[in-house]
Amino acid sequence: MLIKKFLGNAYIVSILGIAAILLVLKNLQFIFAGSPPLLLFLVVIAFAAWRGGLKTGLFSTILCALASAYFLEKPYNTLYITDIGEIVRIALLISVGSICSFIIAQLYNQEKRALHLSMEREEQLKQEIAERNRTLAERDLYLSF
């Protein structure tokens, strides 16, 4: 029960996802010749935006950018980046992550509204059917006399 509640928090799940992707990229850094694909972080950003909305998506975007700047870019273990190309890559991650977060959060909000309207319409139809059945029962009772 506690684990389900713990993993239900979009912030915690996004932090765990970022840590997992960071671990994979850090261990495979020799394959990427010092420029790991930062867009892998978009998976976590998209999930965070879907589960937690725009704020969680933007939180994940910023955390991904900071983590990749600190752990994946030379010089390592500092936020100071000397290569302009790496600065541009991180800026692209932030801009694409922000746009993704915004779009996914909007889609999620529209889906919630559509579901809410659908449930309201279903309840309205149930009430109309119940009213119709009462009217038919009253008519049949009236005609039987």
Side-chain angles (χ1 to χ4, degrees), residues 18 38 41 45 58-73 79 81 89-91 93-95:
I18 291 167
L38 300 181
F41 286 114
I45 294 168
L58 293 176
F59 167 79
S60 295
T61 300
I62 297 301
L63 192 59
C64 287
L66 290 173
S68 50
Y70 190 80
F71 292 109
L72 299 175
E73 306 299 337
L79 292 176
I81 302 171
R89 281 175 22 122
I90 291 176
L93 174 65
I94 292 171
S95 59

Side-chain angles (χ1 to χ4, degrees), residues 4 6 10 28 36 42 59 96:
K4 185 177 181 181
F6 180 75
L28 297 178
L42 285 180
F59 167 79
V96 171

Side-chain angles (χ1 to χ4, degrees), residues 33-44:
S35 293
L38 300 181
L39 292 182
L40 286 176
F41 286 114
L42 285 180
V43 173
V44 175

Side-chain angles (χ1 to χ4, degrees), residues 2-27:
L2 183 62
I3 292 175
K4 185 177 181 181
K5 193 172 192 177
F6 180 75
L7 292 178
N9 187 329
Y11 288 99
I12 293 173
V13 173
S14 68
I15 290 170
L16 293 174
I18 291 167
I21 290 176
L22 190 61
L23 183 66
V24 168
L25 290 177
K26 188 71 172 166
N27 287 327

Side-chain angles (χ1 to χ4, degrees), residues 113-129:
R113 276 193 296 268
L115 179 62
H116 182 69
L117 288 173
S118 173
M119 291 172 65
E120 283 180 353
R121 180 67 180 142
E122 181 182 5
E123 187 61 36
Q124 183 183 11
L125 287 173
K126 285 180 183 178
Q127 290 174 358
E128 289 175 5
I129 290 170

